Amino acid sequence: MNNPTAIEGAKKSFIALKNPYASVEKVYPMIIEQFQKENPVYYVGVKNRSQISQSFIKFLEAVGIYLHTLDKASIAGRAVDMQLKNPYTGRPMTGSSSGTAINVLLGINDIGIGTDGGGSVLAPAMAVNLIGFISPLLDQEHMKNTASKISTDGISFHPSLGFITGNFQLLWQVLHTTLPIAGDETTLEIIYDPNDFSKVEAAQWRGHIHEKVLSFKFDTRDCVMPRLKELLKSCDVLVSKEGPVDTEGLGDTVLGHFDERTQKMQRQGNKGFLRVVNMLGATAITLPTEEFAVGVLLICESTPQKISRMLRLAEKWQKHSNPYARYFSDCGEYYPQEFGE
């Protein structure tokens, strides 16, 4: 993992101040002074919501991560942000940690922190081919004291913190600082749907592989949750392929509650288990694939042992770099040489 330079840090702030996709609410450009220290410096954006504690952000400075931006989020926590656009498609951006995902894509931040109630971190990360991670064990003492919420479909939940990044090594470093993760060489018990992955792909996962049809993932939350909960009890990791997120429809429950036509539009948002991970108190990571807005979702129960095993599988998973990200993260594209210069 290459260490960022002060010049790179300055360019991040230049893009943030330009705010080309209206995804930034506040910038702290003077963190460039942190480069005077010998340790690596990484920039973090934070969803501008009160559930995220200042002490947690301050704690991340121990691994060289400093607050750079406050990020815009969708109004009322909606699963689709009707104000921000997905930089790739021009369609409404997936929410509710919409600005946080955009600002990582743009290269403004190395990592972002959001809150996830019903997919609000995992879905926006997937929508722009980034890595997303959530767990109720992140800043657990603070988060369990936050007010519970009621989803549009009437389910009570507490939000969890989550990370969005394009840098798996940085995420790995952060998680080893913020979660109780220990080395574990136990053979993994893995559940997957053969309609999502071939037997050849599954054979590379190095564990006891169990096939289950998981097509119910797109049913209503109240139908999905009890079935998924039972499956998670019987395995270390459940693997689900989901998406493309919000490219063929809009996976938003507000819209989906009107009639059969809007319910179809919601289902075509292609959000499956990611909608209920947090509501079950589970932990998950989504990894981008070569397909646009499609991710591999690894889910486990929120115990240190199972999280360790899940991350061991994620670490060995084939990583796909995005060859088109430079169109968004190149500072020179936002400050081009103009006519006559």
Side-chain angles (χ1 to χ4, degrees):
M1 185 166 61
N2 295 328
N3 293 339
T5 66
I7 290 177
E8 291 170 339
K11 289 181 176 180
K12 292 177 187 296
S13 293
F14 290 158
I15 300 175
L17 291 166
K18 189 84 169 182
N19 200 12
Y21 289 89
S23 52
V24 178
E25 293 198 348
K26 188 171 184 178
V27 188
Y28 299 92
M30 292 310 296
I31 64 168
I32 195 170
E33 294 180 347
Q34 298 297 333
F35 284 95
Q36 298 178 53
K37 302 176 182 179
E38 294 183 1
N39 297 327
V41 176
Y42 298 97
Y43 283 22
V44 65
V46 176
K47 181 180 183 179
N48 195 12
R49 291 295 182 267
S50 62
Q51 295 98 331
I52 303 174
S53 69
Q54 294 184 24
S55 60
F56 183 73
I57 304 304
K58 192 71 177 176
F59 177 76
L60 293 177
E61 293 182 5
V63 288
I65 295 175
Y66 295 89
L67 178 61
H68 183 220
T69 63
L70 297 182
D71 306 325
K72 188 181 178 303
S74 66
I75 295 174
R78 285 186 65 177
V80 173
D81 192 325
M82 296 303 179
Q83 292 184 305
L84 298 187
K85 292 182 178 181
N86 185 314
Y88 282 107
T89 66
R91 290 168 59 85
M93 179 59 191
T94 303
S96 64
S97 302
S98 46
T100 300
I102 290 174
N103 292 340
V104 172
L105 173 67
L106 300 187
I108 290 172
N109 297 312
D110 301 292
I111 193 167
I113 300 175
T115 58
D116 191 302
S120 294
V121 166
L122 297 173
M126 195 178 292
V128 289
N129 284 61
L130 292 171
I131 300 165
F133 176 92
I134 67 165
S135 177
L137 302 189
L138 289 169
D139 202 15
Q140 186 176 21
E141 290 302 312
H142 171 76
M143 293 303 294
K144 71 181 182 182
N145 291 322
T146 60
S148 62
K149 295 188 173 184
I150 303 293
S151 69
T152 311
D153 36 15
I155 299 172
S156 178
F157 66 90
H158 272 87
S160 291
L161 288 186
F163 296 105
I164 299 174
T165 185
N167 188 331
F168 184 85
Q169 289 180 300
L170 179 59
L171 177 64
W172 182 263
Q173 181 179 346
V174 171
L175 294 181
H176 275 74
T177 303
T178 55
L179 288 177
I181 297 174
D184 188 330
E185 296 303 320
T186 304
T187 301
L188 273 65
E189 300 290 338
I190 302 171
I191 289 177
Y192 85 107
D193 189 333
N195 294 307
D196 288 343
F197 305 95
S198 69
K199 290 183 180 293
V200 174
E201 290 174 306
Q204 300 174 6
W205 300 343
R206 297 182 182 179
H208 296 151
I209 312 299
H210 308 278
E211 295 183 1
K212 298 283 185 181
V213 175
L214 304 176
S215 56
F216 70 92
K217 73 179 83 172
F218 298 110
D219 292 345
T220 59
R221 283 189 174 119
D222 58 345
C223 292
V224 172
M225 290 175 64
R227 296 180 67 180
L228 178 58
K229 184 176 182 178
E230 288 303 310
L231 287 173
L232 292 178
K233 289 179 181 179
S234 65
C235 69
D236 292 310
V237 186
L238 183 142
V239 183
S240 172
K241 190 174 184 179
E242 307 201 359
V245 169
D246 290 337
T247 62
E248 300 167 4
L250 292 174
D252 178 69
T253 51
V254 174
L255 182 67
H257 270 76
F258 277 92
D259 50 46
E260 289 185 7
R261 180 172 56 89
T262 58
Q263 288 172 13
K264 183 178 179 181
M265 290 176 62
Q266 179 187 351
R267 187 181 177 95
Q268 288 175 333
N270 292 313
K271 298 171 182 175
F273 291 142
L274 64 80
R275 299 169 298 148
V276 302
V277 170
N278 173 70
M279 292 177 174
L280 288 174
T283 294
I285 185 170
T286 177
L287 304 170
T289 69
E290 289 182 320
E291 300 175 75
F292 174 65
V294 174
V296 175
L297 184 67
L298 311 181
I299 314 171
C300 70
E301 292 183 312
S302 296
T303 67
Q305 295 80 12
K306 288 194 174 184
I307 293 174
S308 299
R309 294 166 193 167
M310 183 187 73
L311 290 176
R312 176 153 52 95
L313 179 60
E315 183 184 23
K316 296 176 180 178
W317 204 277
Q318 182 181 0
K319 306 302 188 298
H320 296 280
S321 59
N322 186 343
Y324 305 108
R326 61 184 177 85
Y327 284 94
F328 306 105
S329 60
D330 184 349
C331 184
E333 297 295 340
Y334 299 101
Y335 296 92
Q337 188 172 12
E338 297 182 355
F339 177 77
E341 293 184 351

